[in-house]
């Protein structure tokens, strides 16, 4: 059992808040198009911070907890790349100007962290009170894996998202982005700008990803602190990663299939853990080193196979994957 002081929690949260504040200030003070060199520098910085934290954590609390952190971080980082697909779709659908994309992404990361903090607290409480929640989480991940694999060649329909449609129906939306503002007054009438609708869409996506990613990371560790840290450090680099790899996302044609396999693997791992605890000790469990090896192995295969596929067939384009099939127009 991981024993942590309140000071450790406070320092960890403080570090994350400082890093978020830097992102927010950069977005607010100097809206601009983020170039490749800037995105690469920030990406390296955030990965270095995450790795440095993991090494410190391992030295303080032991190799097993350290391995759990790195496994959780890799799971969340790989799932966050799928987030990027959806972010690209949202930016394209709403034609967000490049100088405002930085702000949208930073808001999305802050909102994602807040939502996941709530889900982490709820998940940790449920797991501590009811061991059958491991079974529930495992079945949820298996369902998600099957749906994602079935619809791996599709993209989410952002315009028909319930939250976005409701916002458009209830709120007056201007035609233009008004200098990056969320609200404006046009012809004496108070309206929200398309940027506000974009943030609503990002929030809806964050909610859906939190429902999947939290059970996934609880599959490699049941320590709430490790779950929070892995999520936070994986999400902090998401803004820079977006600008770094958005031109390469189309080439990761097998990413959705690979993530489906990873989620299925973690789902089985959770079910085995439930069986080991609640049914019989003879039911085997999957160790953290094995989990880490399997996850890294799947990701390596996915990236290599994707790059080979797109090199041999440049017309192939990757998709974010969807949990639900697209509705067919009766006229089609």
């Amino acid at each position: 059992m991981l024993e942590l002081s309140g000071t450790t929690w406070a320092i960890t949260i403080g570090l994350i808040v400082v890093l978020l504040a830097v992102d927010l200030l950069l977005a607010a003070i100097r809206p601009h198009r983020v170039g490749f060199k800037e995105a690469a520098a920030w990406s390296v910085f955030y990965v270095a911070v995450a790795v440095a934290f993991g090494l410190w954590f391992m030295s303080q609390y032991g190799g097993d907890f350290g391995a759990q952190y790195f496994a959780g971080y890799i799971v969340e980082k790989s799932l966050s790349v799928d987030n990027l697909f959806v972010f690209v779709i949202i930016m394209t659908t709403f034609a967000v100007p490049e100088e405002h994309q930085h702000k949208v992404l930073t808001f999305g990361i802050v909102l994602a962290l807040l939502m996941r903090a709530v889900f982490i607290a709820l998940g940790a409480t449920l797991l501590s009170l009811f061991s059958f929640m491991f079974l529930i989480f495992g079945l949820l991940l298996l369902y998600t894996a099957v749906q994602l694999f079935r619809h791996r060649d599709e993209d989410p329909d952002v315009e028909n998202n319930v939250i976005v449609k409701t916002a458009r129906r209830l709120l007056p939306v201007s035609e233009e982005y008004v200098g990056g503002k969320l609200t404006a007054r046009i012809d004496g009438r108070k309206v929200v700008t398309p940027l506000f609708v974009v943030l609503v869409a990002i929030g809806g996506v964050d909610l859906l990803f939190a429902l999947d990613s939290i059970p996934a990371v609880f599959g490699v560790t049941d320590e709430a602190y490790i779950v929070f840290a892995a999520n936070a450090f994986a999400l902090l680099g998401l803004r820079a990663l977006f600008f770094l790899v958005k031109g390469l996302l189309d080439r990761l044609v097998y990413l959705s299939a690979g993530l489906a396999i990873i989620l299925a693997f973690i789902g089985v791992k959770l079910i085995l853990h439930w069986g080991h605890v609640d049914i019989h000790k003879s039911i085997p469990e999957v160790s953290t080193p094995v989990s880490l090896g399997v996850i890294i192995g799947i990701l390596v295969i996915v990236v290599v196979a994707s790059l080979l596929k797109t090199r041999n067939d440049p017309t192939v384009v990757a998709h974010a994957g969807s949990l639900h099939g697209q509705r067919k127009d009766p006229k089609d």
Side-chain angles (χ1 to χ4, degrees):
M1 193 72 178
L2 182 61
E3 295 183 2
L4 292 166
S5 66
T7 302
T8 302
W9 271 101
I11 292 174
T12 304
I13 294 172
L15 173 62
I16 292 164
V17 169
V18 168
L19 292 171
L20 278 174
V22 170
D23 249 0
L24 285 170
L25 286 173
L26 286 174
I29 295 174
R30 195 169 68 92
H32 64 288
R33 181 183 182 277
V34 178
F36 180 84
K37 289 184 178 180
E38 181 182 349
W42 279 108
S43 294
V44 170
F45 168 75
Y46 280 119
V47 171
V49 169
V51 171
F53 173 84
L55 293 175
W56 167 82
F57 185 68
M58 184 179 290
S59 68
Q60 294 294 312
Y61 298 99
D64 184 54
F65 286 128
Q68 289 178 30
Y69 163 77
F70 280 112
Y73 174 75
I74 291 171
V75 167
E76 290 304 313
K77 201 67 175 176
S78 60
L79 289 172
S80 72
V81 174
D82 207 38
N83 277 49
L84 294 183
F85 270 110
V86 183
F87 286 172
V88 169
I89 292 168
I90 291 173
M91 300 290 189
T92 303
T93 300
F94 293 99
V96 180
E98 288 191 339
E99 64 268 24
H100 301 317
Q101 291 181 6
H102 181 107
K103 181 188 297 184
V104 172
L105 288 168
T106 304
F107 170 85
I109 293 168
V110 172
L111 190 59
L113 275 172
L114 292 175
M115 287 185 177
R116 293 182 189 207
V118 173
F119 280 103
I120 288 167
L122 180 60
T125 301
L126 290 173
L127 289 175
S128 65
L129 294 176
F130 311 105
S131 59
F132 70 84
M133 288 304 301
F134 286 105
L135 174 62
I136 302 299
F137 280 6
L139 292 174
L140 174 63
L141 288 179
L142 285 177
Y143 170 78
T144 302
V146 170
Q147 289 295 98
L148 183 59
F149 190 82
R150 286 180 59 200
H151 305 295
R152 62 190 179 278
D153 294 326
E154 301 177 25
D155 291 317
D157 190 350
V158 177
E159 283 285 9
N160 285 323
N161 179 279
V162 173
I163 298 175
V164 174
K165 289 176 71 175
T166 301
R168 283 191 179 280
R169 186 171 65 251
L170 298 180
L171 299 172
V173 183
S174 67
E175 294 293 330
E176 302 292 333
Y177 287 91
V178 187
K181 297 179 180 179
L182 298 181
T183 62
R185 186 170 294 279
I186 298 177
D187 297 330
R189 184 188 182 203
K190 190 71 173 287
V191 298
V192 299
T193 70
L195 190 62
F196 181 88
V197 180
V198 170
L199 297 185
V200 169
I202 292 285
V205 167
D206 284 339
L207 177 60
L208 291 176
F209 274 105
L211 289 171
D212 295 332
S213 66
I214 297 306
V217 74
F218 268 118
V220 295
T221 178
D222 57 2
E223 297 290 345
Y225 177 82
I226 298 176
V227 174
F228 175 76
N231 268 275
F233 285 111
L235 287 173
L236 280 174
L238 195 59
R239 176 197 60 84
L241 190 63
F242 172 85
F243 294 106
L244 181 65
V245 305
K246 67 177 181 178
L248 302 175
L249 287 176
D250 284 347
R251 300 187 64 188
L252 298 177
V253 293
Y254 295 126
L255 179 63
S256 292
L259 291 178
I261 295 171
I262 289 173
L263 292 177
F265 168 74
I266 297 175
V268 171
K269 181 179 185 295
L270 282 169
I271 293 172
L272 288 174
H273 177 73
W274 166 76
H276 181 83
V277 172
D278 278 10
I279 298 180
H280 201 278
K281 295 295 183 183
S282 62
I283 296 177
E285 289 193 277
V286 180
S287 67
T288 300
V290 170
S291 297
L292 191 56
V294 169
I295 292 165
I296 292 175
I298 292 172
L299 291 175
V300 169
I301 292 171
V302 162
V303 172
V304 172
S306 294
L307 295 179
L308 289 174
K309 176 68 174 178
T310 52
R311 187 179 69 178
N312 295 328
D313 185 1
T315 63
V316 177
V317 177
H319 296 277
S322 177
L323 296 184
H324 305 284
Q326 303 298 335
R327 294 178 180 176
K328 300 295 184 181
D329 193 322
K331 297 178 182 180
D332 295 338

